[in-house]
Amino acid sequence: MKRSVNTIFLAVSAFLTASCVVADPETVKRTSEGLASYSNSRLVPLFAIDPVAAVIAAVDTDTYLSRQGEIDDQEMASLFPYGVLHIDDRAIKINGVANVYPDGNGINTPGAKWEVDRFYDPYSIHADSDYLYYTGYEARGSRWVLECISEGHWNVDLLSVNVLASCDQVHVAYVKEESGIREYTVTSSGSLTEYDYTATCSTGDDGVTIKFISNIDAGFSKWTMVPTAGIFNVYFSKGSQKLDYCYLTFAENGFSCETGLD
Amino acid sequence: MLSIRFQSGQFFRLLPSVLALAVFFSACPDSPAADRYGTRREAACFDYEVRVGIGGYPMFEVSDFGMDGSGGFFGYYFDAEPYYRETLAGIYLPGLGRGYVTGVLSAEVDFNIKRWFTVTFGIGVNSAFQNVFDPMDGGKMGRNHCTTVSILPEARFNWLNRDFVRLYSSVGIGLGMDVIRKVTYEGSDTGYFPVFQITPAGISLGRKVYWFAECGIGLQYIGGMTGVGVRF
């Protein structure tokens, strides 16, 4: 009896004091959701949203420069909620958005070449805006050259970005503006490499439609850019080894994806 | 002056022999303690003890100390930059199964110097392991291992030492070593670290054969430990 009590006592003590499982499992992130999430949150902003954002910053700057002295306070607040600073006679800094460097010609003048530096400044007094960085997506920091090929059409080149990426054949076209919502289409292709892995992506021939919504009453997020139509294809690889694909299709109410994974 | 210097490998090879000799001499029937206290002795009247135990939450496998730049053995799979998992490469990190530890398995030899004071030499071993899964096909790639060994001399203060019951506290400082092997890494990663251990309260019940339980905090383990011992 005494031995049994001792045995039970020992077993209970051991159970109470010794813990076996100390870490939860970590599932593989290579899932349909993982690929779609990465594509939509990292690649779409760089290759589709940011070129359009650069064009919009340039267009608004052109409006401001060409109509200096004529713009009333309400329109000014709508264009630049955080105000602007003059860097020199022509270049301006749109607080919370970008530095814009015009070449002296209007942004809709064929042949005009402007530069837009979508700086990221975490110490800015507009840091909340910087975080979402004009578009509703996390900041990346990129510098673009815009060349007007005809009114409302621009070729956009990526000069630099703080990740290992290349962007080619980017074209942005103005579509329309209704109820304060501007609409552009962007066709682009490019690739982004992180460590040994590369994502190669491109829009369809018809491009992706981006809607730009500016709302000065919307608290910290005063701008939103949303893809509302078009397809965006991504191919994942490691060296010469093809790994996965992710086809995003945008609609007004969001996006769907096809990956070939369950 | 005579000085003996051990390589770490020699020390571990010699340790079992030292322990066996200590047990052999302590078990002699004509030990001084037997003369002093007669045949039926109280817990306080034995010169030597040997005991084994299990328990505790091993610190090194679950802390930041285990691997540089990671969240410990069960943390990030790679010793990587903080945002590695948010990158494209993060999508193709291996999957990890549940992380297990055996708990600290301890063995020690005790020398009862005074009724209120005991010196102990202990060794603690813990093993941690976790399955690794291929991100491409979900198959098992292998198993990550981490084995920790700690050598811990302790000073034990017996603040109640009666016929059947002993209550005590102890403090110790020693040396620890861990060996980590991870799937896709070649070889193993060996580290050494100092070990501090405090036992605020412990209890043993029994005379020649006894059961003990104690709570402790330190780099060898956190939490409770229990086991059995024999007095000579």
Side-chain angles (χ1 to χ4, degrees):
Chain A
M1 178 66 184
K2 191 175 177 182
R3 180 171 293 179
S4 300
V5 170
N6 280 342
T7 306
I8 293 168
F9 201 31
L10 280 173
V12 171
S13 300
F15 178 76
L16 290 177
T17 53
S19 179
C20 281
V21 177
V22 295
D24 292 329
E26 280 197 44
T27 53
V28 172
K29 287 173 69 180
R30 180 183 167 263
T31 60
S32 200
E33 292 77 17
L35 296 176
S37 171
Y38 181 85
S39 300
N40 191 50
S41 65
R42 300 267 297 178
L43 302 174
V44 169
L46 180 59
F47 295 108
I49 302 283
D50 265 1
V52 177
V55 165
I56 291 172
V59 168
D60 287 350
T61 299
D62 190 45
T63 302
Y64 169 73
L65 293 175
S66 62
R67 294 174 52 206
Q68 258 181 314
E70 300 171 14
I71 299 178
D72 60 26
D73 290 346
Q74 189 178 355
E75 190 178 359
M76 190 68 182
S78 172
L79 285 174
F80 311 121
Y82 295 127
V84 296
L85 294 171
H86 282 259
I87 299 170
D88 57 32
D89 289 346
R90 289 200 305 239
I92 67 164
K93 172 182 181 176
I94 306 174
N95 287 327
V97 178
N99 287 348
V100 182
Y101 303 90
D103 73 343
N105 298 306
I107 190 64
N108 277 297
T109 304
K113 267 193 173 182
W114 289 36
E115 279 192 26
V116 176
D117 187 2
R118 302 257 298 125
F119 56 86
Y120 172 59
D121 180 7
Y123 304 107
S124 164
I125 58 170
H126 312 291
D128 283 344
S129 172
D130 283 348
Y131 182 69
L132 294 169
Y133 212 39
Y134 195 42
T135 61
Y137 292 88
E138 285 189 31
R140 190 54 44 91
S142 54
R143 192 176 177 102
W144 304 85
V145 177
L146 320 179
E147 181 178 8
C148 180
I149 50 177
S150 65
E151 185 172 358
H153 291 265
W154 300 270
N155 283 333
V156 183
D157 288 329
L158 177 63
L159 270 188
S160 64
V161 64
N162 62 4
V163 288
L164 185 58
S166 65
C167 203
D168 38 56
Q169 298 177 359
V170 182
H171 182 83
V172 176
Y174 172 75
V175 178
K176 63 182 178 182
E177 179 168 359
E178 283 179 358
S179 306
I181 298 174
R182 277 184 264 178
E183 202 171 296
Y184 292 82
T185 59
V186 56
T187 56
S188 72
S189 62
S191 65
L192 177 113
T193 299
E194 290 181 310
Y195 298 93
D196 296 332
Y197 295 86
T198 299
T200 305
C201 43
S202 63
T203 61
D205 292 340
D206 295 333
V208 171
T209 301
I210 308 287
K211 282 189 176 176
F212 174 71
I213 304 158
S214 174
N215 183 357
I216 60 172
D217 299 322
F220 73 92
S221 179
K222 298 183 186 305
W223 302 279
T224 308
M225 296 181 74
V226 188
T228 56
I231 60 171
F232 190 86
N233 298 331
V234 184
Y235 300 91
F236 298 91
S237 60
K238 183 181 184 182
S240 59
Q241 182 187 6
K242 292 179 180 175
L243 299 173
D244 290 300
Y245 64 88
C246 179
Y247 302 151
L248 296 177
T249 304
F250 294 103
E252 289 282 351
N253 58 354
F255 68 89
S256 59
C257 77
E258 179 192 336
T259 63
L261 299 176
D262 294 333
Chain B
M1 179 180 286
L2 178 65
S3 67
I4 301 173
R5 182 173 294 166
F6 291 111
Q7 299 292 327
S8 60
Q10 289 175 310
F11 183 79
F12 288 116
R13 281 197 293 274
L14 286 173
L15 190 66
S17 306
V18 173
L19 295 178
L21 283 172
V23 171
F24 174 77
F25 285 115
S26 67
C28 291
D30 57 348
S31 75
D35 293 340
R36 286 200 303 272
Y37 302 111
T39 52
R40 183 181 182 280
R41 292 179 291 174
E42 299 176 0
C45 304
F46 293 89
D47 286 332
Y48 310 109
E49 301 176 24
V50 174
R51 68 184 201 175
V52 293
I54 182 173
Y57 193 72
M59 273 288 284
F60 268 80
E61 283 74 14
V62 293
S63 72
D64 285 330
F65 303 117
M67 296 185 74
D68 292 337
S70 74
F73 177 68
F74 294 120
Y76 290 169
Y77 184 71
F78 292 103
D79 301 333
E81 295 167 24
Y83 297 106
Y84 185 86
R85 290 206 297 186
E86 309 306 319
T87 69
L88 178 52
I91 294 173
Y92 294 96
L93 280 175
L96 297 172
R98 284 195 179 90
Y100 293 89
V101 295
T102 59
V104 176
L105 306 170
S106 74
E108 67 179 48
V109 178
D110 303 346
F111 300 90
N112 293 315
I113 308 296
K114 299 280 189 185
R115 184 182 179 87
W116 56 270
F117 183 63
T118 303
V119 173
T120 81
F121 293 94
I123 182 170
V125 180
N126 177 72
S127 182
F129 48 93
Q130 189 172 35
N131 286 337
V132 181
F133 299 98
D134 192 324
M136 298 308 290
D137 62 15
K140 183 177 169 181
M141 298 170 70
R143 179 177 281 186
N144 292 338
H145 286 278
C146 176
T147 302
T148 307
V149 179
S150 55
I151 306 294
L152 188 68
E154 284 184 286
R156 181 170 296 151
F157 304 96
N158 309 309
W159 35 276
L160 181 71
N161 207 346
R162 295 285 166 79
D163 178 25
F164 191 76
V165 180
R166 178 186 285 178
L167 298 176
Y168 59 87
S169 301
S170 63
V171 59
I173 181 170
L175 179 69
M177 178 185 79
D178 57 17
V179 181
I180 295 174
R181 288 180 183 275
K182 285 203 161 190
V183 176
T184 74
Y185 278 76
E186 286 188 13
S188 59
D189 181 19
T190 303
Y192 298 90
F193 49 89
V195 173
F196 306 96
Q197 191 71 27
I198 294 174
T199 302
I203 182 172
S204 69
L205 301 175
R207 293 185 181 89
K208 188 171 177 59
V209 177
Y210 65 91
W211 166 83
F212 75 91
E214 61 187 36
C215 60
I217 183 168
L219 293 179
Q220 188 187 51
Y221 77 91
I222 288 178
M225 178 171 282
T226 187
V228 292
V230 180
R231 296 188 174 106
F232 302 94

